Amino acid sequence: SGLYFKGEIPFKTVFFHPMVVDEHGKKMSKTKGNVLDPLTLKDDYGIDALRFTLASGASKGKDLRLSLTSVDSHRKFLNKVWNAARFALGHLEGFAGEGLPAREALALEDRWVLARLQQAIAEVRRCLDRYDFNLAAGAVYAFIWRDLCDWYLEWVKPRLYGEAGASRAAVQGVLQHVLRDVLKLLHPFTPFIA
């Protein structure tokens, strides 16, 4: 009808998302009583947790199994993101630096997290360009949970709490840069928290 009425193709790309089924792989149905109401999930877990769960499970050619466990797991992940952001912002108070510090001012762990961030950005872009939303969400999840929270934030705590001067300023510059880019990576999946 787009060609008939407008003389142009209405869509250049069409993406068919997978069918959302219950955790046992059964089609959701009100009569079966296995429907998860998005409005209830939004109230109980937050809409971003639901969005991230749907994106994480949207693999091509497979049904998306939706369960309360997976939504709760992603709510906990977003809580970890929130706490990491609060930690970073708490240590950026009074920081007047703009941009990354010079390479020679960066410690090994600073260079490591920046390299891992660039790898995550490249992976997310590649996956989004191919409509592999689950792989893109997985790359964001892996970087934030493992690289940023489990490793980098733990490595830099002594520099943030114990040292003043150049070393602390370098960590602050890296934290500011990484936090900004993490929020950009999260935005397509979790716009409210980002």
Side-chain angles (χ1 to χ4, degrees):
S1 66
L3 283 173
Y4 181 79
F5 290 112
K6 295 277 198 173
E8 59 187 48
I9 298 171
F11 305 105
K12 292 185 170 98
T13 305
V14 176
F15 177 78
F16 292 96
H17 65 78
M19 183 175 185
V20 180
V21 296
D22 71 6
E23 61 190 329
H24 305 293
K26 306 282 187 214
K27 182 180 176 187
M28 288 192 180
S29 165
K30 288 181 183 177
T31 56
K32 290 181 184 177
N34 63 350
V35 174
L36 295 177
D37 181 17
L39 297 176
T40 303
L41 293 174
K42 174 189 71 100
D43 293 339
D44 294 344
Y45 299 98
I47 198 67
D48 277 344
L50 178 59
R51 287 174 58 103
F52 200 84
T53 302
L54 294 173
S56 297
S59 60
K60 294 178 184 174
K62 293 184 179 178
D63 290 339
L64 191 158
R65 290 185 180 215
L66 184 61
S67 70
L68 294 177
T69 306
S70 61
V71 179
D72 187 51
S73 172
H74 289 112
R75 182 194 59 78
K76 290 175 183 171
F77 164 70
L78 294 176
N79 188 54
K80 189 161 186 94
V81 171
W82 184 267
N83 288 334
R86 281 186 42 220
F87 174 81
L89 291 172
H91 289 284
L92 290 174
E93 285 183 28
F95 176 66
E98 199 56 43
L100 285 171
R103 181 164 171 78
E104 55 273 1
L106 298 175
L108 178 63
E109 60 267 19
D110 299 330
R111 293 191 307 271
W112 177 82
V113 78
L114 291 171
R116 298 293 293 162
L117 174 63
Q118 290 309 307
Q119 290 172 352
I121 290 170
E123 179 69 9
V124 169
R125 282 184 178 159
R126 185 182 67 76
C127 292
L128 288 177
D129 288 344
R130 293 177 30 198
Y131 301 102
D132 288 327
F133 301 118
N134 62 318
L135 300 177
V140 173
Y141 185 98
F143 173 76
I144 292 172
W145 195 283
R146 288 193 318 247
D147 299 337
L148 180 61
C149 294
D150 284 354
W151 290 104
Y152 184 70
L153 293 181
E154 296 303 320
W155 280 336
V156 298
K157 282 180 182 176
R159 291 169 59 200
L160 287 170
Y161 292 120
E163 297 180 20
S167 181
R168 186 171 199 277
V171 173
Q172 289 174 311
V174 172
L175 276 177
Q176 183 181 58
H177 177 81
V178 171
L179 181 60
R180 182 180 58 241
D181 282 0
V182 158
L183 294 177
K184 289 178 185 178
L185 287 175
L186 276 172
H187 191 268
F189 308 106
T190 60
F192 296 107
I193 197 170

